[in-house]
């Protein structure tokens, strides 16, 4: 008889809808394109939560098979065949955000024909559990909030042929056909959890990918009140302290292990707030830094902080320990916008933090929102002037500046606002259309000048983001053996020259567009003028255009 085991699936990404953010317009990213371009820690997504659940199950003697569908080698057929050939007692599918939901629904429906319990979990489905269960009645239940303890108890109950529906942290359809939520599960002691399994890294390396980046967490939870975020809402779904930190020794031991086992050289810290809370918060960080130095750990780190929680000593100590890249939650350079979103900071604190980070020699990335539903052209202009003044428009991160407010499911702004579901009527694929109508919220920009501004530049921003961060380098790498090296070198010279100027180019186009909409609100005319202006800029770098010059490399061989 086969040993009972659990299958955990991390879905591939599918684009959801054009809901006014460039990220949603760009193509969904696969591991192939992410690793081909570079070890980009943002598009390279290691499912740390799912790996933590796998480790917890294995520590309790339940074998786990994980499928990472972002790998092209993983097909629906391979998943189905595995489940049929093994004694699988539960299939769990992780849904971090909207791009995962369409595939999660599709693959779960196929798996349902095998007659095995299917559960979904993750932040997004925790917030829309009722909608999903009413839509996909083949799903047995949904894990709400942090999953380790709930998943283990459900698996253990199924293995023992006991009723799993009494377990905390679950949502399911009861005998009356109604969606029922059990009481929340208690938060677990993070230091008592095993380190996350690293199936993703092992699988990637076995397939020939050069993986140098690993995700890691040192804490969980967020106690802030930012209205646009869901991190502060997700932590409420499980009972216990809002924020918990791992012991510095536990964290550094895991880092050492990942370097030794997998040759990891860059760590992406996934904490909502790396600094944390409480009287010992800063000491916890300083202890981690001292352990890194004591053990002579040679690695680089990305971390995220609030602007009102940093100081010179802390940043200098972090830099000395390899913490080279910091994301600050700046969000805006306009006080009225910060107040609207309940950030609890001032523009002056933002300016101080930016100056401090730069003086300490760290690479700065800004969490930034360009505008929201009620932003005026005057606020938009002030926001862009702030970007120019502070130099946030670096080539590496300039696209993050062009990020309008996105309405996330269950954020305070979505709960308290009157936002409409994105219609999705033009989408032909039924599952995609249904997903859009479950999770995608839209709004109308009230200031017509801001609306025309965004209509005029978002296509340019989307295109440049896709070309410079994904497509071109991936294309050249995949075709490097068949294209003339001299012509590739010449193209890359032009490519790099424009890349180095991207920050100035996009701000130049933005201010040009603001000037146009300030004097004329004829949308068609403004869009036409902005496109023409952009093409004059592009011609300064390329003979024809970015793409035409790229395709001409191969054409010259004939």
């Amino acid at each position: 008889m086969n040993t009972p085991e659990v299958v955990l699936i991390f879905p591939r990404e599918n684009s959801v809808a054009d809901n006014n953010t460039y990220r949603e317009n760009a193509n969904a990213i696969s591991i192939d394109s992410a690793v081909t371009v570079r070890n980009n820690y943002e598009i390279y997504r290691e499912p740390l939560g799912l790996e933590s659940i796998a480790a917890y199950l294995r520590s309790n003697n339940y074998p786990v098979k994980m499928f990472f569908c972002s790998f092209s080698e993983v097909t629906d057929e391979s998943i189905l065949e595995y489940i049929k050939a093994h004694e699988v007692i539960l299939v769990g599918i992780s849904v971090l955000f909207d791009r995962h939901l369409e595939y999660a629904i599709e693959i779960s429906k196929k798996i349902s024909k095998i007659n095995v319990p299917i559960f979904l979990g993750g932040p997004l489905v925790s917030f829309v559990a009722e909608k999903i269960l009413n839509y996909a009645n083949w799903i047995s239940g949904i894990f709400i909030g942090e999953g380790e303890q709930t998943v283990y108890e459900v698996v253990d109950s199924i293995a023992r042929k006991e009723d799993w529906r009494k377990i905390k942290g679950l949502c399911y359809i009861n005998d009356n056909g109604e969606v029922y939520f059990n009481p929340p599960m208690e938060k677990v002691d993070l230091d008592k959890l095993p380190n996350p399994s690293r199936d993703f890294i092992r699988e990637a390396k076995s397939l020939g990918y050069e993986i140098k980046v690993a995700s890691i967490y040192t804490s969980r939870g967020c106690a802030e009140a930012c209205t646009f975020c869901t991190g502060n809402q997700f932590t409420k779904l499980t009972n216990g302290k809002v924020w918990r930190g791992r012991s510095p020794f536990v964290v550094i031991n895991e880092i050492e292990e990942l370097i030794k086992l997998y040759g990891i050289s860059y760590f992406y810290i996934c904490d909502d707030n790396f600094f944390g809370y409480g009287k010992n918060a800063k000491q916890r960080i300083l202890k981690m830094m001292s352990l890194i130095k004591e053990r002579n750990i040679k690695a680089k780190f990305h971390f995220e902080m609030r602007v009102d929680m940093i100081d010179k000593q802390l940043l200098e100590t972090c830099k000395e320990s390899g913490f080279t890249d910091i994301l600050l939650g700046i969000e805006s350079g306009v006080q009225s916008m910060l107040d609207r979103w309940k950030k609890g900071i001032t523009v002056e604190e933002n300016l101080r933090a930016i100056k401090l980070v730069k003086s300490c020699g760290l690479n700065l990335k800004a969490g930034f929102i360009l505008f929201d539903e009620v932003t005026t052209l005057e606020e938009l202009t002030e926001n862009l002037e702030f970007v120019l003044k502070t130099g946030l428009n670096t080539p590496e991160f300039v696209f993050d500046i062009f990020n309008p407010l996105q309405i996330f499911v269950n954020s305070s702004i979505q709960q308290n606002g009157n936002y409409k579901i994105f219609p999705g009527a033009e989408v032909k694929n039924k599952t995609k259309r249904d997903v859009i109508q479950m999770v995608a919220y839209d709004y109308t920009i009230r200031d017509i000048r801001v609306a025309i501004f965004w209509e005029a530049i978002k296509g340019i921003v989307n295109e440049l983001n896709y070309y410079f961060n994904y497509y071109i380098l991936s294309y050249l790498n995949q075709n490097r053996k068949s294209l003339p090296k001299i012509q590739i070198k010449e193209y890359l010279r032009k490519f790099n020259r424009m890349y180095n100027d991207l920050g100035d180019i996009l701000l130049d186009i933005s201010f040009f567009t603001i000037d146009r909409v300030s004097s004329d609100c004829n949308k068609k005319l403004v869009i036409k003028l902005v496109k023409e202006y952009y093409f004059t800029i592009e011609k300064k770098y390329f003979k024809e255009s970015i793409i035409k010059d790229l395709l001409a490399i191969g054409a010259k061989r004939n």
Side-chain angles (χ1 to χ4, degrees), residues 268-470:
Y268 180 84
I269 297 176
C270 299
D271 302 16
D272 289 321
N273 186 342
F274 180 60
F275 189 90
Y277 305 90
K279 62 181 181 179
N280 296 320
K282 185 175 179 179
Q283 291 306 313
R284 187 185 78 99
I285 294 177
L286 294 176
K287 181 61 178 179
M288 279 190 272
M289 303 302 117
S290 68
L291 288 172
I292 288 172
K293 292 177 183 177
E294 287 173 17
R295 301 186 188 184
N296 197 31
I297 292 173
K298 303 299 181 184
K300 293 184 177 181
F301 300 84
H302 162 96
F303 62 116
E304 302 181 11
M305 299 273 274
R306 281 181 59 89
V307 300
D308 54 358
M309 290 183 173
I310 62 174
D311 59 48
K312 188 175 179 63
Q313 179 211 10
L314 180 66
L315 292 184
E316 287 180 342
T317 305
C318 286
K319 174 70 183 302
E320 292 168 1
S321 304
F323 283 64
T324 54
D325 302 325
I326 183 171
L327 186 149
L328 287 178
I330 292 168
E331 312 309 348
S332 177
V334 184
Q335 192 61 51
S336 56
M337 297 171 76
L338 294 173
D339 294 343
R340 250 189 336 260
W341 305 327
K342 298 184 179 179
K343 270 297 294 182
I345 57 174
T346 65
V347 173
E348 288 70 27
E349 286 176 310
N350 278 341
L351 291 169
R352 181 195 69 86
I354 292 169
K355 184 177 180 180
L356 189 57
V357 166
K358 291 185 175 181
S359 70
C360 293
L362 280 75
N363 301 318
L364 171 62
K365 175 178 178 176
F368 203 82
I369 300 171
L370 189 60
F371 61 81
D372 65 3
E373 176 187 16
V374 298
T375 299
T376 64
L377 187 67
E378 290 72 27
E379 286 178 318
L380 174 63
T381 303
E382 186 180 347
N383 219 9
L384 287 167
E385 288 173 346
F386 175 86
V387 171
L388 181 62
K389 175 182 178 180
T390 54
L392 293 179
N393 59 319
T394 60
E396 297 87 351
F397 303 128
V398 66
F399 294 107
D400 293 301
I401 300 303
F402 293 87
N403 185 31
L405 178 73
Q406 184 172 355
I407 308 301
F408 292 112
V409 175
N410 213 56
S411 62
S412 293
I413 203 166
Q414 183 267 313
Q415 293 181 60
N416 299 321
N418 187 26
Y419 297 99
K420 59 187 178 183
I421 290 287
F422 195 92
E426 75 286 356
V427 179
K428 294 181 180 179
N429 180 287
K430 183 181 184 305
T431 305
K432 182 185 289 292
R433 184 170 65 250
D434 294 339
V435 165
I436 289 171
Q437 293 173 348
M438 273 193 271
V439 302
Y441 288 86
D442 194 21
Y443 57 84
T444 300
I445 302 168
R446 297 184 190 178
D447 189 325
I448 186 62
R449 300 168 299 171
V450 177
I452 294 173
F453 165 88
W454 187 236
E455 281 297 314
I457 72 161
K458 73 175 181 180
I460 296 169
V461 173
N462 292 337
E463 188 174 275
L464 290 176
N465 174 53
Y466 181 59
Y467 289 161
F468 279 92
N469 283 329
Y470 311 120

Side-chain angles (χ1 to χ4, degrees), residues 72-134:
S72 58
E73 291 82 0
V74 176
T75 64
D76 292 1
E77 290 70 28
S78 65
I79 295 172
L80 296 171
E81 288 304 316
Y82 185 91
I83 295 171
K84 290 175 183 176
H86 296 78
E87 190 180 339
V88 176
I89 58 173
L90 180 144
V91 174
I93 305 174
S94 174
V95 183
L96 293 183
F97 45 82
D98 49 10
R99 285 187 171 190
H100 291 139
L101 184 54
E102 178 188 345
Y103 179 74
I105 289 174
E106 290 177 341
I107 190 63
S108 67
K109 189 169 187 178
K110 293 179 181 179
I111 294 170
S112 68
K113 295 178 172 57
I114 305 176
N115 192 28
V116 59
I118 303 166
F119 290 80
L120 270 55
L124 179 69
V125 295
S126 292
F127 296 140
V128 293
E130 185 170 0
K131 287 183 179 180
I132 291 172
L133 289 176
N134 283 327

